[in-house]
Amino acid sequence: MKKISLLLLAFATQMVFAQANRFVYQVTMKIDSTDKATSKTEIANLDVSAGNSIFYGENRLKRDSIMSRMRQTGSFNFNRDQMQALRSNIDYTVSKDYKTGKKLYTSRIQRDQYAYEEDRPMDWKILPETAKIGEYKTQKAETNFAGRTWFAWFTTEIPIQDGPYKFSGLPGLIVKVEDDKGDYSFDLKESKKIDAIANMEQRGSVITVKRAAFEKQQEQFRKDPTAGLTSGGRGGMRIQMDPTQRKQMEDRQKEEMKKNNNPIELK
């Protein structure tokens, strides 16, 4: 009987992976720890194929599409209000390789694109509690990751051991995951077949570093958010700014970071 169940699971997995799938999540974030009454909501996609997946913000995909069209046409006239509306707190991608188990986190710091391989294990404790979420029967699980306690609800009805962001490793797709403080939550809203997973455009070369080096670079950016612009970064492009312009840009970016003080990873 056990062998039959395993064969059925393997068959179901093959059926799911017959073509690419897109799982659409609503992401709710309280990015300002001094204003917990206010939250931001965005849509993000988990695109899954037979051997890998990629998680990314929908606004990122829309911005890339606009920029790609402009480069193809040679016309760089764009609606600044439209581009501003597409700014995202999900300014990263997470790629997972199912065969190797590797998770690659990629994000831009100023003008440079960085990537690191996640080196922390995600150890889950499966709990007895079950719930019906949408059309799925789910079971609860718990893990401690990056300074937060997370609760996830997964369904074996979709035999994909994956989920939004860096979450994976449960015996089914994660339908919902949230931290115990209610600061971040990911809720599955839709699933659909797609021709192929998204190919996120990476402008310029990607600098691959260790996670500790990435976090150090992030901290340096927080201390001096205009340094990369005036020095040119590793890409070599430098913006000429007089002291007044530099001060205005620095103040604006520091004000943004001041309100963005509650990251998804606390340590």
Side-chain angles (χ1 to χ4, degrees), residues 25 27 44-46 53-56 89-96 103-106 116 118 120 122 145-146 148 150 162-168 174 177 184 186 211 214 263-267:
Y25 289 85
V27 187
N45 297 327
L46 174 68
S53 70
I54 181 169
F55 179 78
Y56 59 92
N89 286 97
I90 308 173
D91 58 349
Y92 55 81
T93 64
V94 179
S95 302
K96 305 186 187 90
K103 302 176 185 178
L104 191 69
Y105 178 95
T106 305
Y116 69 84
E118 178 55 60
R120 294 163 293 184
M122 194 169 288
F145 180 75
R148 293 183 185 272
W150 294 92
D162 205 344
Y165 191 56
K166 298 177 181 178
F167 301 107
S168 64
I174 295 173
V177 59
Y184 286 84
F186 301 79
R211 181 172 59 87
F214 174 84
I264 188 170
E265 295 189 9
L266 298 175
K267 64 179 181 180

Side-chain angles (χ1 to χ4, degrees), residues 29-41:
M29 303 160 281
K30 296 180 181 179
I31 61 173
D32 186 352
S33 62
T34 66
D35 183 14
K36 289 294 188 73
T38 301
S39 61
K40 292 191 174 185
T41 301

Side-chain angles (χ1 to χ4, degrees), residues 58-71 83 86 93 199-203:
E58 190 175 82
N59 281 352
R60 161 74 184 276
L61 190 65
K62 291 178 180 178
R63 285 173 65 92
D64 282 358
S65 178
I66 292 171
M67 296 300 293
S68 179
R69 285 198 301 270
M70 288 193 296
R71 279 190 288 273
M83 294 297 282
L86 291 176
T93 64
N199 182 17
M200 305 306 293
E201 185 176 343
Q202 304 291 357
R203 295 182 295 279

Side-chain angles (χ1 to χ4, degrees), residues 238-254:
R238 178 171 178 161
I239 295 178
Q240 298 294 334
M241 288 189 293
D242 61 39
T244 301
Q245 290 174 318
R246 179 187 171 105
K247 182 68 164 57
Q248 289 174 342
M249 180 173 285
E250 186 174 359
D251 289 345
R252 183 171 63 252
Q253 293 195 343
K254 282 187 174 180

Side-chain angles (χ1 to χ4, degrees), residues 152-213:
W153 285 260
F154 65 93
T155 179
T156 56
E157 295 173 13
I158 304 178
I160 300 173
Q161 296 184 18
D162 205 344
Y165 191 56
K166 298 177 181 178
F167 301 107
S168 64
L170 286 166
L173 182 73
I174 295 173
V175 173
K176 179 183 179 67
V177 59
E178 62 183 354
D179 73 296
D180 64 342
K181 293 182 173 61
D183 291 345
Y184 286 84
S185 69
F186 301 79
D187 297 87
L188 181 64
K189 294 299 180 182
E190 182 186 359
S191 65
K192 53 189 174 183
K193 300 292 185 181
I194 55 177
D195 292 332
I197 67 175
N199 182 17
M200 305 306 293
E201 185 176 343
Q202 304 291 357
R203 295 182 295 279
S205 60
V206 178
I207 305 163
T208 303
V209 296
K210 296 290 187 181
R211 181 172 59 87

Side-chain angles (χ1 to χ4, degrees), residues 248-263:
Q248 289 174 342
M249 180 173 285
E250 186 174 359
D251 289 345
R252 183 171 63 252
Q253 293 195 343
K254 282 187 174 180
E255 184 62 27
E256 288 182 4
M257 287 187 289
K258 184 178 178 182
K259 295 177 181 179
N260 194 353
N261 56 55
N262 188 30

